[in-house]
Structures are given as structure tokens and as C-alpha cells.
């Protein structure tokens, strides 16, 4: 059954609008009487029968409402230095499948990719679409929000005050991520800072420790590519708290 983000809801029905409507009509060629699944980013899944399709809207009568337990209970955010090529797209797509709660792209000192103004906004729109597609593919009910491109100073205001921060740092020789997680609480969000291809500078690591109270952690003895590091850390956290496996 095909899945759609709901545009709006009225008593007993959900409505599919905009790009989602285009997809329903032009790509999937669904018709009145076909079934469709709708989600509205609240965690609820609606099964509906398409009752009418016109130029602006497809209306579906709701025949079933469910609350599938697909969202990870521990909210894990990836905060990743801007990286070149398709690395961020890759992390957003796979991270959504694995269960990340959200993603924040971060300007860092050693980033090769520089993104500002309109270009940065366009990228975020594109990344949000990738997350939306991945949600449908893996049957999640909530699209992880992609934050706007942030600077270090923005970070404290972007995520909730109780957020528990870790910064993945290849020069950290004592604290491993798994060890640090023993002192973390699964009911509070966890944010994982991942550096760009060139890594974080020691000053950035110190600032994260001081301002965000981040724990610097090792992900093991091998140097992982930035995208591998992001997905490995996410997987480790969700596995540790029982949200995977
Ligand atoms: N420039 C660094 C070097 O060559 O030594 C490598 C940076 S690595 C490609 C990109 C990011 O992945 C790092 O900033 C860090 O956040 C994370 N990372 C990769 N391997 C790691 C490890 N073994 N432990 C902790 N973090 C790691």
C-alpha cells in the first residue's frame, strides 16, 4: 500500500495535497476506491480509501487508525560537519532508516564545503525531501527534521536543554562511546557531533566540552570516514538503549 504525507485532516478523512497529490495521481496513477496510507508526523498511521480526486486534493475516508511502534524511544540527533559530495544525503537517508530523531548540518573550521544564504536553504529543502522519502520507504511515521545549517553558537538553542552531547573525536584515547553511554539517560535526547573529512580542530573539541558539556568519545581504533562515523555512532547508541536489534 502506498504511503503519503497528509496535507490536512477533517472529520473521518485525510487529504493529500501538493507534491504528494502529484505523486499519487501522475506517478502511481491511483484512482477512487484504491487504498492509501497516510501519516501526519504525529506517529499515527491512517489507512484510507480514496473517495475523490480533483486538481488540488485527493480525499481519503479513514478506515483504520494505528499507532505503530516504529519510532526509536531514545531521541538521537546527528550534528555533522558539512561534508563534500553526497555524504550528507547518504547519512540522512540511512540515518532516517536506522532511526535518528533529527539532523543538524554544522559549519566547522576544516569543512571544505561552504554553504551560506540561499544555497544553504536550498540544500536543507533537498535534505528534508530525502528524509521524507526515507520515512516512507522504511515505514516510519515521523519525518526527522533537518535543521538549517548551524554555527557552533547556535547549537545550544537548536536542541532541548536536557540534550546529552557527545563529540566523536579520533584523538580521544580513553573514553569510548559505549562507556560514556552508561552515564546517559535514554529518556533525554542525545546529540552526536561528527566532524567533516578533515575532522574537528582541538579548539572546536574544547569548545564543545565547555559550552555543550559534550563528552569526547572514541569510536574505536580505526579512523572512520565521516559518513561511516555518523552511522556507526547512531547505530551504537540505538543498540545500547535497545532500539535496534
Ligand atoms: N582528519 C582525521 C584524520 O585523518 O585523522 C579524520 C577525520 S574523520 C574522516 C571524520 C570524523 O569522523 C571525525 O571528526 C570524527 O568525528 C569521526 N571519527 C572517525 N573515526 C573516529 C574514531 N575512531 N573515533 C571517534 N571519532 C571518529
Amino acid at each position: 500500500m502506498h504511503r503519503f504525507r497528509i496535507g490536512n485532516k477533517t472529520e473521518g478523512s485525510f487529504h493529500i495535497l501538493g507534491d504528494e497529490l502529484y505523486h499519487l495521481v501522475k506517478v502511481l496513477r491511483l484512482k477512487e476506491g484504491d487504498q492509501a496510507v497516510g501519516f501526519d508526523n504525529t506517529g499515527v498511521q491512517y489507512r484510507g480509501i480514496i473517495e475523490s480526486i480533483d486538481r488540488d486534493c485527493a480525499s481519503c475516508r479513514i478506515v483504520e487508525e494505528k499507532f505503530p511502534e516504529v519510532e526509536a524511544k531514545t531521541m538521537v540527533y546527528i550534528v555533522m560537519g558539512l561534508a563534500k559530495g553526497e555524504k550528507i544525503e547518504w547519512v540522512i537517508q540511512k540515518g532516517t532508516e536506522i532511526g535518528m530523531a533529527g539532523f543538524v548540518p554544522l559549519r566547522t573550521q576544516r569543512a571544505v564545503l561552504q554553504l551560506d544564504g540561499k544555497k544553504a536553504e536550498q540544500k536543507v529543502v533537498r535534505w528534508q525531501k530525502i528524509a521524507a522519502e526515507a520515512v516512507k520507504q522504511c515505514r516510519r511515521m515521523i519525518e526527522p527534521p533537518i535543521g538549517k545549517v548551524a554555527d557552533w553558537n547556535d547549537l545550544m538553542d537548536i536542541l532541548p536543554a536536557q540534550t546529552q552531547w557527545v563529540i566523536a573525536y579520533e584523538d580521544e584515547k580513553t573514553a569510548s562511546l559505549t562507556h560514556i553511554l552508561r552515564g546517559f539517560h535514554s529518556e533525554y535526547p542525545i546529540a552526536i557531533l561528527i566532524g567533516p573529512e578533515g575532522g574537528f580542530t582541538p579548539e572546536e573539541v574544547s569548545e564543545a566540552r565547555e559550552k555543550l558539556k559534550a563528552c569526547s568519545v572514541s569510536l574505536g581504533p580505526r579512523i572512520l570516514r565521516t559518513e561511516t562515523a555518523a552511522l556507526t555512532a547512531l547505530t551504537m547508541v540505538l543498540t545500547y538503549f535497545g532500539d535496534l536489534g
Side-chain angles (χ1 to χ4, degrees):
M1 233 180 304
H2 299 288
R3 311 170 77 77
F4 301 92
R5 188 170 5 86
I6 293 174
N8 59 41
K9 268 176 54 222
T10 50
E11 188 63 39
S13 298
F14 64 82
H15 309 283
I16 298 167
L17 316 170
D19 288 351
E20 294 288 276
L21 175 65
Y22 180 88
H23 192 67
L24 181 146
V25 176
K26 299 282 183 205
V27 181
L28 301 171
R29 298 182 182 279
L30 298 188
K31 304 262 181 294
E32 277 108 349
D34 287 338
Q35 294 202 43
V37 169
F39 64 95
D40 57 0
N41 282 333
T42 60
V44 182
Q45 168 180 290
Y46 302 90
R47 188 161 62 83
I49 310 283
I50 304 174
E51 287 204 315
S52 65
I53 303 179
D54 60 35
R55 235 172 40 124
D56 303 320
C57 174
S59 294
C60 305
R61 180 170 46 83
I62 296 171
V63 293
E64 185 187 64
E65 265 185 52
K66 278 208 282 197
F67 195 87
E69 295 215 354
V70 282
E71 296 301 324
K73 288 176 192 60
T74 304
M75 310 278 282
V76 184
Y77 294 86
I78 297 178
V79 182
M80 183 171 155
L82 288 174
K84 282 190 304 181
E86 293 179 349
K87 291 181 184 124
I88 292 192
E89 298 185 0
W90 214 76
V91 169
I92 289 173
Q93 186 188 61
K94 310 298 175 210
T96 301
E97 291 170 32
I98 294 168
M100 73 174 181
F103 181 94
V104 180
L106 178 68
R107 289 190 190 91
T108 61
Q109 289 178 24
R110 292 191 184 145
V112 185
L113 178 70
Q114 300 295 332
L115 272 183
D116 288 299
K118 194 107 203 113
K119 263 200 173 161
E121 282 170 27
Q122 285 167 346
K123 272 283 186 199
V124 172
V125 171
R126 173 162 169 73
W127 291 334
Q128 190 68 67
K129 273 194 184 155
I130 289 170
E133 284 308 313
V135 158
K136 286 188 192 168
Q137 190 273 328
C138 72
R139 304 192 193 169
R140 278 180 70 173
M141 293 294 128
I142 299 179
E143 293 170 2
I146 311 300
K148 58 180 193 208
V149 181
D151 293 303
W152 283 96
N153 287 337
D154 304 326
L155 289 182
M156 269 209 286
D157 303 326
I158 290 177
L159 293 180
Q162 310 93 325
T163 301
Q164 308 159 97
W165 291 86
V166 291
I167 179 161
Y169 189 38
E170 57 282 9
D171 287 342
E172 171 60 56
K173 298 298 173 215
T174 44
S176 70
L177 176 56
T178 334
H179 181 81
I180 289 294
L181 288 175
R182 288 188 208 158
F184 277 24
H185 301 279
S186 60
E187 60 274 32
Y188 295 138
I190 295 174
I192 308 166
L193 286 152
I194 301 287
E197 295 89 340
F200 290 121
T201 62
E203 298 76 50
E204 286 174 321
V205 177
S206 302
E207 201 174 319
R209 285 192 188 121
E210 275 164 36
K211 295 203 176 143
L212 301 167
K213 306 285 172 248
C215 303
S216 64
V217 295
S218 162
L219 300 175
R222 293 167 293 282
I223 303 293
L224 309 176
R225 285 178 189 254
T226 179
E227 65 276 30
T228 316
L231 296 176
T232 302
L234 172 68
T235 304
M236 286 171 75
V237 177
L238 290 179
T239 306
Y240 186 87
F241 286 115
D243 272 310
L244 271 177

